């Protein structure tokens, strides 16, 4: 298929942008002019224009993508030329307020860049000589007359970096290629056509920092110039397309986004024209693509009747329709199955072609009528093994959808939900079925999630190239000189793109089109850590941040050998010590800055920020703690309440056991933490016993919910007239509100299941107002009072870890979710929006917030290399 070759065309778009940064920002109001474009050679791969104001320079100042694409060495040369020449005070009056252009042209094994800068008034030769004498003092400047014009050459003594300038027809043309300047001045050389130029100007947005123009006829020429092999199927779809595209830049510092209009020559023999009268619609098949997808070509049809009519017309024009009709007439005669009435209605409006990293291909087709498929599957296919089939007749995929599926002549197929997966080899489907069962899917990769967040899924045609999986294939397709640049990680940054993609949608006979290059920006969250802390073993607790002194804080975390580490905000070790057992739940800090925690070896610890144990600590407990202790002032004394299975253990902060609470044996295992509210203590058990105690440990009331099981924490909720109650949800999704006065009130939650993970957003007054429900892959945030849904989100993997909450201001919290199976962590704000930069690759249990009193916000997380990373956000 060779979808991956399209990336070689997309690379030029980024190079255009790089040029603009260093040759832009000449202040003045934009004036429209067509004349400079009339001198550009016919073989112009891309041409662009840009706004000449200070804003442009500020936008592109930190745009790493440009440097990554054009190469750091050439980027530096352009910077010097811009500073020394275009910003020189002598030339400024002549170029202020004019449109400037950058274009790219083939030259032997390279791509030559041409800068076109018209002047607002004529400059005589003597003034140019004087300007270059002043501005180019670091160069050796030579000149020669040719074609009745003077070419100036600026030589800095670096090989292959002589910059040539000619002033022709009141326009500066400049390039590292002298021969390109000759083409510009040669009146007999073919130039861009007027219609092409007019289209570019008409679609050149004045609200965009740059606009790019591309003639479709150049696609095969670009492919031939870059590739050492023939173009693949994707490029061939654009053969004889005709027309041109004009795109405008949408700025994003970690992605190159170009969007605009495309017109075609409306040649009936071209397959792409079938989508001109469609309109963009949702594409969903990517959810089924395997994890080793290198590239895919996905199609979605908005008007199936129109598409069918246009496809039949195309097949008729090619002379292929009579043969297909004869074949299907034979099927009707032998099987009494009509292609148009029985087979065609089975299939849906989406289809796709996937190229895997091992260069094998799969196709995907949506099913529109599963009942009809069940009825006719035995008539159109033969079962070859468990759930695997093969079409009985050839060319069915091609007759349904056309060119993209032509190579699947008589494929095998596998049914997954309402999707058919096609392959020319049975073994590929066996492998895919294994990937599907293990959820080894493209949607579970971090790179795709970054791309999906930017490009969206509304289009008729999407071509997607995943750099990490297709890099070797792209490299092998390129000619030697281009392959060398593609592989050069020191001077270029091609490997630092997550993906490239093109999206096309019909637009009343023409098209809307967009290009996306998603980049691993060094400024993006997770790209570069402020510091890294290395452990000897795997960390087993989330990092927590505590006060160290009046002027500093510190980070506490435990690793697998039970060593507890105290780390400074700069990433240096303050101290470490081995605790007896694993920390259960979270550590907590008291007003005197001492830390209290429990371990699974029945130990209660209290120590100062320097790691020194306080008197009487650590101390042994009768039972193993099962969750985080609750520390609260109650009955005039600060007490530590520790859930320990069927026991509630109560200690003073000095380590004394509180006798009034005694060794209390409960009817079941305590659910998570203990709640203290209004001088009363509340707890619940897994088998439905809920307790209310006074400050001295006297049981006030016990509510028993028979025939129910509970697996989630309880919460305190506010009722009317400032009353409070315990709130809990059983495994049947029945919520109970118990005020220990009236009968418990019950309510059936519509969402969730018996395995749902339920938690509650913290609040400063201790009462819960919002709850988070995690039901396998689905997250739902609800109001507790009226059970109304606030927002929801669907993950690609089942979530098995409980959420984390991070203070985000006054009584506001962010919600952290870890997807353990694909090593991703998510962070949502209170409105349900995914925070910028997330998801990010990390293991469960992380921290998000300040790490020192006046520090920036940081993400502290552990990755599979067992190191703690501090990423500033």
């Amino acid at each position: 298929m060779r979808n991956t070759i399209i990336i070689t065309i997309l690379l030029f778009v980024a190079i255009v942008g790089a040029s603009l940064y260093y040759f832009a920002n000449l202040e003045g109001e934009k004036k429209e002019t067509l004349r400079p474009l009339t001198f550009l050679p016919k073989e112009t791969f891309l041409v662009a224009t840009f706004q000449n104001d200070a804003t442009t320079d500020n936008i592109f100042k930190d745009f790493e993508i440009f440097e990554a694409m054009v190469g750091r060495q050439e980027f530096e040369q352009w910077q010097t030329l811009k500073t020394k020449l275009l910003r020189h005070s002598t030339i400024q009056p002549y170029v202020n307020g004019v449109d400037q252009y950058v274009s790219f042209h083939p030259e032997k094994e390279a791509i030559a860049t041409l800068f076109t800068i018209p002047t607002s008034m004529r400059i005589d030769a003597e003034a140019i000589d004087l300007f270059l004498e002043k501005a180019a003092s670091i160069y050796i400047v030579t000149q020669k007359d040719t074609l009745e014009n003077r070419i100036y050459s600026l030589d800095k003594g670096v090989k292959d970096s002589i910059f040539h300038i000619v002033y022709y027809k009141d326009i500066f043309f400049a390039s590292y290629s002298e021969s390109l300047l000759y083409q510009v001045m040669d009146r007999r050389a073919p130039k861009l056509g007027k219609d092409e130029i007019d289209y570019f100007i008409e679609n050149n947005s004045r609200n965009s920092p740059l606009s790019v123009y591309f003639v479709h006829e150049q696609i095969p020429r670009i492919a031939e110039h870059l590739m050492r092999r023939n173009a693949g199927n994707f490029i061939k779809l654009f053969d004889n397309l005709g027309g041109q595209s004009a795109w405008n830049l949408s700025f994003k510092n970690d992605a190159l986004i170009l969007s605009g209009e495309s017109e075609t020559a409306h040649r009936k023999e071209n397959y792409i024209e079938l989508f001109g009268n469609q309109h963009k619609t949702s594409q969903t098949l990517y959810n089924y693509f395997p994890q080793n997808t290198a590239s895919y070509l996905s199609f979605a049809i908005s008007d199936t009747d129109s598409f069918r009519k246009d496809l039949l017309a195309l097949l008729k024009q090619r002379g292929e329709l009579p043969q297909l009709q004869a074949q299907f007439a034979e099927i009707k005669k032998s099987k009494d199955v009509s292609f148009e009435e029985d087979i065609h209605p089975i299939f849906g409006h989406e289809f796709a072609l996937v190229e895997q990293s091992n260069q094998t291909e799969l196709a995907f087709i949506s099913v529109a009528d599963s009942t009809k498929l069940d009825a006719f599957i035995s008539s159109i296919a033969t079962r070859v093994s468990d759930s695997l089939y093969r079409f009985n007749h050839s060319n069915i995929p091609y007759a349904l959808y056309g060119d993209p599926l032509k190579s699947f002549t008589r494929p095998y197929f596998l049914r997954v939900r309402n999707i058919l997966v096609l392959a020319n080899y049975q073994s590929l489907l066996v492998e895919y079925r294994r990937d599907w069962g293990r959820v080894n899917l493209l949607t579970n990769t971090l790179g795709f999630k970054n791309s999906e967040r930017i490009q969206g899924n509304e289009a008729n045609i999407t071509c997607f190239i995943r750099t990490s999986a297709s890099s070797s294939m792209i490299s092998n397709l390129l000619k030697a000189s281009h392959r060398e640049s593609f592989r050069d990680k020191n001077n270029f940054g091609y490997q630092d793109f997550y993906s490239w993609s093109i999206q096309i949608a019909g637009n009343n006979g023409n098209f809307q089109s967009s290009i996306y290059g998603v980049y691993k920006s060094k400024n993006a969250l997770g790209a570069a850590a402020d510091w890294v802390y290395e452990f000897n073993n795997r960390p087993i607790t989330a990092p927590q941040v505590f006060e160290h002194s009046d002027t500093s804080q510190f980070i506490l975390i435990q690793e697998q050998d039970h060593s507890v580490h105290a780390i400074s905000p700069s990433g240096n070790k303050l101290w470490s010590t081995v605790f007896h057992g694993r920390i259960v739940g979270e550590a907590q800090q008291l007003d005197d800055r001492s830390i209290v925690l429990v371990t699974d070896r029945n130990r209660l610890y209290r120590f100062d920020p320097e790691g020194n144990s306080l008197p009487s600590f650590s101390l042994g407990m009768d039972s193993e703690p099962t969750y985080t202790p609750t520390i609260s002032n109650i009955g005039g004394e600060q007490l530590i309440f520790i859930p320990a299975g069927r026991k509630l253990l109560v200690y003073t902060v000095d380590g004394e056991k509180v006798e009034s609470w005694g060794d209390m044996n409960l009817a079941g295992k305590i659910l998570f933490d203990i709640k203290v509210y209004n001088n009363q203590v509340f707890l619940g058990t897994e088998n439905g016993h809920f307790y209310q105690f006074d400050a001295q440990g006297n049981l006030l009331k016990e509510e028993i919910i028979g025939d129910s099981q509970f697996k989630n924490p309880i919460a305190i909720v506010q009722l009317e007239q400032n009353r409070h109650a315990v709130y809990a949800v059983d495994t049947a999704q029945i919520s109970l509100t118990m005020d220990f006065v009236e009968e418990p009130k019950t309510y059936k939650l519509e969402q969730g299941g018996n395995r749902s993970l339920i938690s509650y957003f913290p609040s400063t007054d201790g009462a819960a107002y919002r709850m988070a429900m995690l039901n396998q892959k689905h997250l739902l945030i609800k109001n507790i009072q009226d059970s109304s849904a606030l927002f929801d989100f669907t993950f690609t993997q089942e979530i098995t870890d409980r959420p984390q909450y991070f203070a985000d201001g006054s009584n506001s919290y962010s919600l952290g979710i870890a997807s353990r199976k694909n090593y991703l962590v998510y962070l949502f704000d209170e409105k349900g929006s995914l925070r910028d930069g997330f998801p990010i690759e990390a293991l469960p249990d992380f921290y998000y917030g300040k790490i020192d009193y006046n520090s920036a916000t940081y993400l502290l997380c552990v990755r599979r290399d067992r190191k703690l990373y501090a990423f500033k956000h």
Side-chain angles (χ1 to χ4, degrees):
M1 179 174 58
R2 311 262 185 241
N3 285 350
T4 47
I5 190 55
I6 195 63
I7 194 174
T8 59
I9 294 174
L10 300 178
L11 302 186
F12 297 114
V13 177
I15 296 174
V16 169
S19 310
L20 301 188
Y21 165 47
Y22 280 117
F23 288 86
N25 193 27
L26 302 174
E27 294 184 7
E29 185 178 346
K30 226 174 175 183
K31 297 177 182 178
E32 191 151 288
T33 175
L34 299 176
R35 196 170 64 86
L37 296 176
T38 64
F39 297 98
L40 299 187
K42 184 67 175 177
E43 282 206 339
T44 297
F45 284 170
L46 286 174
V47 61
T49 187
F50 48 88
Q51 297 179 3
N52 308 325
D53 54 36
T55 303
T56 305
D57 213 29
N58 291 330
I59 288 175
F60 295 122
K61 181 172 58 177
D62 297 317
F63 206 3
E64 308 159 66
I65 293 176
F66 293 160
E67 183 179 285
M69 303 308 299
V70 77
R72 293 173 181 86
Q73 293 179 2
E74 186 161 344
F75 207 52
E76 291 174 1
Q77 292 177 356
W78 288 2
Q79 184 179 23
T80 302
L81 290 167
K82 174 187 173 182
T83 304
K84 295 295 183 181
L85 300 181
L86 282 181
R87 295 303 172 83
H88 197 277
S89 58
T90 306
I91 201 68
Q92 283 285 304
Y94 298 96
V95 295
N96 276 344
V98 298
D99 282 349
Q100 299 176 54
Y101 303 88
V102 183
S103 54
F104 294 85
H105 310 266
E107 185 174 81
K108 296 180 181 179
E109 296 298 313
I111 304 293
T113 306
L114 175 67
F115 303 99
T116 301
I117 308 167
T119 57
S120 57
M121 63 187 82
R122 181 167 181 78
I123 311 176
D124 57 36
E126 291 74 16
I128 295 175
D129 290 342
L130 180 62
F131 158 61
L132 290 176
E133 180 182 342
K134 292 180 179 180
S137 58
I138 65 172
Y139 298 91
I140 297 174
V141 181
T142 58
Q143 55 183 284
K144 60 181 176 182
D145 293 330
T146 180
L147 298 176
E148 301 179 355
N149 289 279
R150 186 174 298 175
I151 295 181
Y152 299 89
S153 298
L154 281 62
D155 187 355
K156 198 178 180 181
V158 180
K159 184 181 178 182
D160 299 327
S161 63
I162 299 176
F163 195 61
H164 308 282
I165 303 173
V166 64
Y167 188 59
Y168 176 67
K169 302 295 184 181
D170 300 340
I171 302 170
F172 280 113
F173 296 95
S175 177
Y176 289 104
S177 168
E178 189 174 11
S179 65
L180 184 55
L181 298 186
Y182 292 148
Q183 293 181 55
V184 169
M185 295 183 291
D186 187 350
R187 298 174 184 174
R188 296 170 298 179
K191 302 294 195 298
L192 284 180
K194 182 179 183 303
D195 291 342
E196 297 167 341
I197 295 172
D198 287 343
Y199 185 82
F200 177 41
I201 297 301
E202 289 170 6
N203 290 277
N204 179 17
S205 172
R206 294 298 183 246
N207 296 320
S208 174
L210 74 87
S211 296
V212 179
Y213 170 60
F214 179 54
V215 180
H216 299 155
E217 298 288 1
Q218 298 294 338
I219 293 176
R221 297 188 182 97
I222 293 174
E224 181 182 0
H225 187 78
L226 297 177
M227 296 169 58
R228 61 189 183 93
R229 302 179 188 175
N230 292 332
N233 290 346
F234 182 79
I235 299 296
K236 290 179 181 178
L237 290 178
F238 291 88
D239 282 353
N240 301 313
L241 184 64
Q244 46 271 322
S245 294
W247 299 308
N248 299 300
L249 177 75
S250 298
F251 179 76
K252 201 172 190 307
N253 61 7
D254 61 349
L256 182 73
I257 305 175
L258 291 163
S259 301
E261 303 291 329
S262 298
E263 71 170 6
T264 65
H266 303 296
R267 295 168 183 161
K268 294 182 180 180
E269 68 272 18
N270 187 274
Y271 180 79
I272 295 294
E273 294 288 359
L274 299 182
F275 293 88
N277 290 311
Q278 301 289 316
H279 58 80
K280 66 181 179 180
T281 187
S282 295
Q283 295 184 308
T284 61
L285 287 181
Y286 65 86
N287 291 293
Y288 297 86
F289 298 162
Q291 187 171 341
N292 67 339
T293 295
S295 63
Y296 70 75
L297 192 55
S298 187
F299 299 82
I301 302 164
S302 61
D303 185 339
T304 53
D305 292 338
S306 171
F307 179 84
R308 186 66 189 158
K309 177 183 175 182
D310 293 341
L311 176 59
L312 291 175
L314 176 63
L315 295 174
K316 181 178 180 180
Q317 181 175 348
R318 292 175 178 176
E320 297 175 340
L321 186 58
Q323 181 181 350
L324 289 171
Q325 288 176 331
Q327 177 185 339
F328 297 135
E330 180 61 29
I331 297 175
K332 173 66 174 175
K333 180 179 179 181
S334 62
K335 300 285 183 67
D336 193 27
V337 175
S338 166
F339 185 85
E340 293 297 337
E341 296 177 8
D342 298 323
I343 298 177
H344 178 258
I346 292 173
F347 299 96
H349 71 282
E350 288 191 74
F351 59 102
L353 197 59
V354 168
E355 184 178 25
Q356 301 184 95
S357 56
N358 59 3
Q359 296 185 279
T360 58
E361 293 181 353
L362 298 171
F364 294 77
I365 300 176
S366 63
V367 175
D369 190 334
S370 57
T371 302
K372 208 171 185 68
L373 175 61
D374 293 335
F376 286 95
I377 193 168
S378 61
S379 299
I380 63 174
T382 299
R383 184 173 180 175
V384 295
S385 68
D386 182 29
S387 73
L388 290 180
Y389 297 82
R390 190 180 190 187
F391 283 108
N392 293 332
H393 309 279
S394 59
N395 299 319
I396 288 180
Y398 179 57
L400 288 168
Y401 299 110
D403 295 9
L405 301 187
K406 189 170 187 177
S407 62
F408 292 81
T409 308
R410 188 171 162 245
Y412 299 89
F413 66 87
L414 167 71
R415 186 174 178 181
V416 177
R417 295 181 180 170
N418 256 11
I419 302 296
L420 296 189
V421 187
L422 282 61
N424 287 322
Y425 302 98
Q426 187 176 343
S427 59
L428 294 178
L429 294 180
V430 174
E431 184 178 349
Y432 175 81
R433 184 167 55 189
R434 184 166 52 248
D435 284 336
W436 174 259
R438 296 173 178 174
V439 203
N440 292 333
L441 302 176
L442 175 65
T443 52
N444 287 333
T445 64
L446 179 61
F448 185 79
K449 289 185 180 299
N450 282 310
S451 304
E452 184 183 18
R453 177 168 48 90
I454 290 173
Q455 77 172 27
N457 65 347
E458 292 280 325
N460 293 126
I461 305 172
T462 296
C463 177
F464 177 88
I465 300 96
R466 184 173 162 223
T467 308
S468 61
S470 62
S471 180
S472 62
M473 286 185 282
I474 294 171
S475 181
N476 290 333
L477 288 170
L478 296 173
K479 291 180 178 178
S481 59
H482 301 296
R483 181 168 63 249
E484 183 179 345
S485 297
F486 184 76
R487 290 175 173 175
D488 185 355
K489 296 183 179 180
N490 293 323
N491 192 36
F492 295 92
Y494 298 125
Q495 312 300 323
D496 290 328
F497 281 86
Y498 288 111
S499 64
W500 288 90
S501 59
I502 297 177
Q503 289 190 318
I504 301 170
N507 184 25
N508 297 319
N510 287 312
F511 297 92
Q512 296 173 333
S513 55
S514 299
I515 293 177
Y516 305 91
V518 183
Y519 187 66
K520 301 177 184 178
S521 170
K522 65 184 179 183
N523 297 316
L525 181 64
D530 271 22
W531 51 261
V532 178
Y533 187 90
E534 191 166 353
F535 300 92
N536 293 322
N537 302 279
R538 179 175 60 88
I540 57 175
T541 65
Q544 292 184 255
V545 175
F546 297 109
E547 295 181 4
H548 187 268
S549 66
D550 288 339
T551 58
S552 67
Q553 295 182 274
F554 75 104
I555 300 152
L556 197 73
I557 188 170
Q558 186 182 39
E559 61 176 319
Q560 198 168 26
D561 69 349
H562 298 162
S563 294
V564 174
H565 296 254
I567 305 167
S568 74
S570 59
N572 298 313
K573 180 191 286 190
L574 297 176
W575 53 264
S576 67
T577 187
V578 177
F579 279 19
H580 192 56
R582 174 178 181 150
I583 297 174
V584 176
E586 295 183 344
Q588 296 173 80
Q589 190 165 40
L590 303 183
D591 291 339
D592 64 355
R593 296 201 177 100
S594 64
I595 309 292
V596 173
L597 58 83
V598 293
T599 72
D600 62 0
R601 299 292 177 83
N602 303 10
R603 305 299 297 182
L604 172 62
Y605 285 84
R606 184 181 174 196
F607 53 93
D608 65 24
E610 301 295 339
N612 302 310
S613 294
L614 270 63
S616 302
F617 293 93
S618 69
L619 57 88
M621 299 181 292
D622 298 334
S623 303
E624 179 183 338
T626 52
Y627 202 68
T628 304
T630 298
I631 304 174
S632 182
N633 287 305
I634 183 170
E637 187 177 16
Q638 193 171 32
L639 300 180
I640 304 171
F641 296 89
I642 304 170
R646 289 174 172 265
K647 291 186 176 182
L648 173 60
L649 308 178
V650 185
Y651 292 85
T652 68
V653 292
D654 295 323
E656 298 291 333
K657 202 166 185 178
V658 182
E659 295 300 332
S660 64
W661 283 88
D663 289 329
M664 193 171 301
N665 289 311
L666 306 171
K669 184 180 177 181
I670 297 174
L671 292 168
F672 300 89
D673 59 334
I674 310 299
K675 301 298 182 184
V676 178
Y677 198 86
N678 281 359
N679 228 29
Q680 294 178 336
V681 177
F682 304 88
L683 60 89
T685 66
E686 291 183 335
N687 58 349
H689 290 252
F690 296 87
Y691 299 88
Q692 177 190 36
F693 299 95
D694 66 14
Q696 288 71 42
N698 299 308
L699 179 62
L700 298 179
K701 189 169 182 182
E702 178 183 3
E703 289 283 3
I704 301 175
I705 311 298
D707 300 323
S708 293
Q709 291 294 314
F710 296 81
K711 294 183 178 179
N712 288 294
I714 65 172
I716 300 296
V717 294
Q718 285 277 10
L719 303 179
E720 65 279 357
Q721 298 177 347
N722 204 30
R723 297 184 301 119
H724 60 272
V726 169
Y727 182 87
V729 180
D730 69 11
T731 55
Q733 299 305 104
I734 304 294
S735 70
L736 298 105
T737 304
M738 297 164 280
D739 65 0
F740 296 93
V741 177
E742 300 176 356
E743 286 294 313
K745 294 180 180 179
T746 62
Y747 179 82
K748 173 64 176 178
L749 301 180
E750 296 178 359
Q751 303 84 5
N754 61 2
R755 293 166 52 193
S756 293
L757 303 177
I758 296 175
S759 61
Y760 307 94
F761 280 76
S763 66
T764 53
D765 65 2
Y769 300 94
R770 295 195 301 165
M771 61 190 294
M773 298 178 61
L774 274 166
N775 183 26
Q776 299 182 41
K777 298 180 181 180
H778 186 235
L779 168 67
L780 177 66
I781 306 301
K782 298 168 63 74
N783 271 323
I784 294 176
Q785 294 281 350
D786 58 8
S787 197
S788 60
L790 299 175
F791 68 85
D792 65 352
F793 187 89
T794 300
F795 301 91
T796 56
Q797 295 274 23
E798 181 178 354
I799 304 300
T800 56
D801 289 78
R802 291 188 174 274
Q804 295 178 258
Y805 296 92
F806 305 101
D808 199 24
S810 177
N811 208 26
S812 177
Y813 291 85
S814 293
L815 175 68
I817 304 289
S819 180
R820 182 177 293 273
K821 291 185 178 180
N822 53 355
Y823 308 107
L824 296 177
V825 296
Y826 297 74
L827 191 70
F828 300 89
D829 64 20
E830 286 223 326
K831 295 180 180 179
S833 298
L834 194 60
R835 286 195 174 273
D836 189 38
F838 288 89
I840 185 173
E841 182 183 351
L843 297 177
D845 294 331
F846 60 100
Y847 169 84
Y848 184 81
K850 293 181 180 295
I851 58 175
D852 208 353
Y853 289 120
N854 297 313
S855 78
T857 300
Y858 277 81
L859 170 68
L860 299 179
C861 64
V862 175
R863 290 182 166 171
R864 282 176 281 181
D865 57 6
R866 302 180 178 183
K867 297 175 182 177
L868 177 66
Y869 289 83
F871 296 114
K872 186 185 294 183
H873 196 207

